[in-house]
Amino acid sequence: MSRILRSLAVLALALTLAAPVMAVQPDEVLDDPALEARARELSAELRCMVCQNESIDASNAPLARDIRILLRERLEAGDTNAEVLDYLVARYGEFVLLKPRFNASTLLLWLTAPLVLILGGIAAWVGVRRRRTATDAAPLSAAEEAELERVLSDDTRG
């Protein structure tokens, strides 16, 4: 029986850890479910300036809480999602976005990965072609074939 209980405890722990972590406090939640859904959608796109690799929705940092509250205030004031993001970018800079916008200042950021992938593919293709041409040997001459036959026939006798 204790084995079953232990298994259930491990399963419960695994399910708890697998659940998405949300740091939104009950006092932050908006009364309007539609606005709250928009707030959650937007906060998933915003970076915690303290944690840096977490969204503000998942961060317990005081600054993340302040941004979550500010975001909800802007939504209640009637701002569109784009206006809220523009306001936060103007206030905190482009770094506040987990997925930076595609513009002139982020061009290198967006193009580096595909460029490296393409260059790596070209390098691999060139390497394979060079190897293939380097391993292509000239055909044996008549004297070389005769010597090969002699060596192989000696091998089979011994």
Side-chain angles (χ1 to χ4, degrees), residues 58-139:
S59 174
N60 284 320
L63 180 59
R65 177 181 164 80
D66 293 344
I67 296 173
R68 286 193 305 265
I69 291 170
L70 180 61
L71 180 145
R72 283 167 172 76
E73 287 173 357
R74 300 300 300 182
L75 288 176
E76 285 181 322
D79 287 1
T80 65
N81 290 5
E83 289 172 335
V84 171
L85 290 177
D86 289 341
Y87 176 80
L88 291 170
V89 167
R91 187 168 182 166
Y92 296 103
E94 189 82 21
F95 188 71
V96 76
L97 300 175
L98 279 172
K99 182 180 174 188
R101 295 174 177 161
F102 188 80
N103 57 36
S105 64
T106 60
L107 187 65
L108 184 63
L109 174 69
W110 280 103
L111 296 181
T112 299
L115 197 61
V116 167
L117 185 64
I118 290 169
L119 291 175
I122 291 170
W125 180 74
V126 167
V128 167
R129 297 255 324 173
R130 282 188 183 165
R131 250 188 162 169
R132 199 175 292 160
T133 57
T135 58
D136 291 344

Side-chain angles (χ1 to χ4, degrees), residues 7 15 22 42 45 47 51 64 87 93 97 100 131 137 139 151:
S7 297
L15 290 174
M22 299 295 171
L42 286 171
E45 298 177 26
R47 177 188 322 271
C51 309
Y87 176 80
L97 300 175
R131 250 188 162 169
V151 169

